[in-house]
Amino acid sequence: MWKGRDVITMREFTRKDMEEVLALSEKMEKISRGRGYDPILKGKILATLFFEPSTRTMFSFQTAMLRLGGTVIGTAEPKSTSAAKGETLWDMIKLVHECSDAIVMRHPNEGSARRAAESSDVPFINAGDGSNQHPTQALLDLYTIKQQKKKIDGLNVLLLGDLKYGRTVHSLAYALSQFEDVTITLHSPAQLRFPAWMYAELKESVKIREIPSMDLSQADVVYATRIQKERFADPTEYAQSAYVLDAEKIGTMKEDAIIMHPLPRVDEIATEVDADKRAKYFRQEANGIAVRMALLSLVMTGR
Amino acid sequence: MTTDKKEREGEMRVKKIENGVVIDHVNAGKAPAILKLLGIDSTFPGTVSIIMNIPSAKFGLKDIIKIEGKVMAEAEINKIALVSPHATVNIVKDYHVVKKHAVKLPEKLEGIIRCPNAICISNREGTPRLRVEQQSPLKVRCEYCERVFTEEQLA
Ligand SMILES: Nc1ncnc2c1ncn2[C@@H]1O[C@H](COP(=O)(O)OP(=O)(O)O)[C@@H](O)[C@H]1O
Ligand SMILES: [Mg+2]
Ligand SMILES: [Zn+2]
């Protein structure tokens, strides 16, 4: 079932799938921190293609592969080589799958992950396709929620920031919709609202609602995301839309709530918040390695 | 006048065509959307007549499109169902209707329409592939970028 599987979108993940990944991730945690070594991917090659700059996701995948005894190949700038010469993604993947046992790709076009996966004979993992999906981020987010809150069912998750272009919140919302009695609460600037089609689709399976002001008091998880200046034609609109979680704001949060962020942050979370016991974003980021180890192992070996 | 008579009068407001197609039973107001779907504009060599808001016995009001010199393959005929699921395409040869096709919306739209999402990979390379998830109101999903589109977004 897992062996050879492509990881393209959280829309295709059942609760059982997610729980399998989380369970294996937990077993990987020790090795992910450099304690112990289990070369289950020895002799395997992972190709990483990042058509958009990324340090954390790429490093996280590379480390995950190396910790399991595998090897990584990749070019820092696939854009400047193949695509610039007018080669299609389809043709490029035909070369890359001959050279590897699995492919990880980030690409600016939505649907590029599906296209690449259709061209590839080896398992393909989406590390972000435009504003569409970023499934491995959603899995590490779930892992962190489970780790910190001991459960996912019944939680109220508040998503903040750029909910329109933010692929991480899209993937996370679909992942959460598979759990019981979850409430997804949305708050964003008017220009960056959650896509209407996703909202309509999700409300069939989960409680999802938008709130007009940034009320943190009901949330079990406050998930902040970055608002990019480039999304606004008018800089004054950006200034009005920007938000900051600082010590005062998080004072309104529940005592046992957690603060997450897919990072990098810019100004959304004041550095003074880092010392608060509810701040879990660095832990969340670190969890990415174990979760990606689990996924790489599952798609290449089936376990 | 009976609705039947009004309908026939309405339908013949323009000169007969010699060879081409008559798209009948088009939902009232949808004729322009169909021309857009078929990619017919000022560069099309034949004469195109649109009659809108004709009283119709079956549908209340309907539009008709008559396109001189147009040849239509089945995929193109069925594309019309996106905006007008009850349309009939009449093939005209030597001034006479020689064949009638009821349009039928296929579940899978492969290479038939473009994805309206400008940054979808299917607009860069390969063949667009969309799936009809619901007929009415229309919901079509792109199998690449996953977005769901309504009738207004498609035509
Ligand atoms: N040569 C033609 N030029 C233009 N319109 C035509 C021509 N022949 C038929 N039509 C129109 O095509 C439609 C279908 O014609 P027909 O099969 O005769 O009628 P119906 O479908 O109502 O039984 C009608 O709207 C008719 O007016
Ligand atoms: Mg008739
Ligand atoms: Zn698309």
Side-chain angles (χ1 to χ4, degrees):
Chain A
M1 266 294 277
W2 275 105
K3 193 170 176 180
R5 181 171 169 174
D6 298 318
V7 177
I8 297 172
T9 167
M10 288 316 287
R11 286 183 53 248
E12 293 175 342
F13 267 71
T14 63
R15 175 172 184 152
K16 186 166 166 283
D17 291 336
M18 293 183 247
E19 283 173 342
E20 281 169 16
V21 175
L22 300 196
L24 187 57
S25 305
E26 210 177 320
K27 289 191 192 139
M28 297 289 187
E29 250 209 78
K30 236 178 81 188
I31 304 173
S32 79
R33 291 160 195 283
R35 278 182 276 128
Y37 179 59
D38 186 5
I40 50 177
L41 296 181
K42 189 160 189 235
K44 303 276 192 208
I45 299 171
L46 175 70
T48 59
L49 295 173
F50 280 76
F51 290 85
E52 276 178 348
S54 153
T55 310
R56 34 182 52 78
T57 305
M58 197 171 75
F59 268 31
S60 177
F61 268 109
Q62 290 176 347
T63 301
M65 191 64 184
L66 298 173
R67 291 272 190 231
L68 293 175
T71 304
V72 181
I73 58 170
T75 143
E77 277 289 330
K79 221 197 318 242
S80 58
T81 54
S82 206
K85 294 178 194 148
E87 186 179 34
T88 58
L89 183 57
W90 183 268
D91 286 3
M92 184 179 188
I93 296 293
K94 291 292 177 215
L95 162 75
V96 178
H97 80 166
E98 289 304 331
C99 303
S100 60
D101 299 290
I103 300 173
V104 172
M105 182 182 88
R106 170 169 298 178
H107 194 283
N109 286 116
E110 285 151 30
S112 55
R114 176 80 56 196
R115 175 88 180 147
E118 284 176 357
S119 178
S120 175
D121 285 346
V122 300
F124 176 91
I125 299 176
N126 181 10
D129 63 328
S131 304
N132 186 34
Q133 290 267 330
H134 190 357
T136 66
Q137 176 75 41
L139 290 164
L140 76 89
D141 292 343
L142 282 189
Y143 184 80
T144 306
I145 295 172
K146 180 88 187 292
Q147 177 185 60
Q148 300 297 326
K149 299 292 301 174
K150 307 292 175 241
K151 61 169 189 176
I152 297 166
D153 294 318
L155 296 181
N156 183 335
V157 180
L158 172 62
L159 305 176
L160 296 176
D162 180 353
L163 306 186
K164 182 178 184 184
Y165 298 102
R167 56 193 168 208
T168 67
V169 293
H170 301 159
S171 285
L172 180 57
Y174 278 94
L176 290 170
S177 75
Q178 298 297 305
F179 290 81
E180 293 301 318
D181 196 30
V182 163
T183 303
I184 300 174
T185 311
L186 310 168
H187 176 69
S188 67
Q191 301 94 317
L192 299 175
R193 288 175 68 192
F194 198 77
W197 71 266
M198 283 189 189
Y199 187 92
E201 180 163 76
L202 284 163
K203 82 173 164 30
E204 302 295 319
S205 54
V206 69
K207 269 180 281 168
I208 181 166
R209 65 202 170 103
E210 204 173 20
I211 53 172
S213 65
M214 201 169 80
D215 173 10
L216 309 181
S217 67
Q218 303 304 307
D220 299 302
V221 176
V222 173
Y223 193 101
T225 65
R226 187 158 52 107
I227 292 178
Q228 288 172 274
K229 250 195 209 87
E230 307 87 86
R231 299 293 182 206
F232 294 85
D234 178 352
T236 60
E237 267 181 19
Y238 166 73
Q240 284 159 12
S241 301
Y243 69 99
V244 184
L245 296 181
D246 53 20
E248 190 191 328
K249 281 252 175 51
I250 68 163
T252 62
M253 280 174 59
K254 289 187 189 175
E255 265 309 301
D256 63 347
I258 58 170
I259 307 167
M260 296 174 64
H261 191 298
L263 303 182
R265 72 169 150 187
V266 184
D267 300 316
E268 313 77 61
I269 303 181
T271 50
E272 65 191 17
V273 173
D274 297 359
D276 192 283
K277 69 177 194 329
R278 293 168 293 186
K280 298 297 177 195
Y281 29 91
F282 293 119
R283 186 66 195 273
Q284 173 189 359
E285 174 169 61
N287 285 338
I289 301 170
V291 172
R292 290 180 173 117
M293 284 168 71
L295 263 183
L296 290 171
S297 172
L298 283 168
V299 302
M300 280 187 267
T301 74
R303 22 191 199 97
Chain B
M1 248 194 305
T2 63
T3 312
D4 245 29
K5 182 138 184 279
K6 276 196 197 149
E7 182 165 356
R8 264 174 284 124
E9 267 194 24
E11 286 169 352
M12 290 318 299
R13 271 176 193 240
V14 295
K15 207 164 135 259
K16 284 206 155 208
I17 62 174
E18 187 177 349
N19 290 296
V21 294
V22 175
I23 309 174
D24 196 1
H25 309 133
V26 170
N27 289 3
K30 292 296 176 188
I34 288 179
L35 291 180
K36 197 172 154 215
L37 268 179
L38 298 178
I40 290 176
D41 56 20
S42 61
T43 63
F44 184 76
T47 300
V48 180
S49 317
I50 303 178
I51 318 171
M52 284 173 65
N53 301 333
I54 305 167
S56 153
K58 267 192 259 172
F59 301 103
L61 284 177
K62 69 173 184 183
D63 293 359
I64 291 190
I65 306 169
K66 306 188 179 199
I67 313 172
E68 182 80 58
K70 175 79 181 158
V71 182
M72 285 177 89
E74 193 176 326
E76 212 178 9
I77 288 174
N78 287 335
K79 188 150 94 169
I80 293 168
L82 284 168
V83 291
S84 239
H86 306 291
T88 313
V89 175
N90 299 278
I91 312 291
V92 175
K93 291 241 160 77
D94 287 329
Y95 298 102
H96 292 289
V97 174
V98 295
K99 205 164 179 336
K100 284 177 177 291
H101 297 273
V103 303
K104 192 175 161 293
L105 191 59
E107 209 181 297
K108 208 168 165 186
L109 302 164
E110 193 157 1
I112 294 175
I113 51 170
R114 288 165 61 93
C115 173
N117 174 7
I119 66 163
C120 178
I121 190 74
S122 70
N123 288 313
R124 299 283 161 99
E125 64 176 70
T127 308
R129 200 170 70 230
L130 296 96
R131 186 172 286 277
V132 177
E133 291 197 341
Q134 186 180 290
Q135 302 259 351
S136 152
L138 189 68
K139 261 170 61 179
V140 175
R141 186 192 300 275
C142 172
E143 293 206 336
Y144 288 99
C145 69
E146 309 187 33
R147 282 202 203 176
V148 176
F149 303 101
T150 61
E151 186 183 320
E152 287 64 39
Q153 291 168 310
L154 289 169

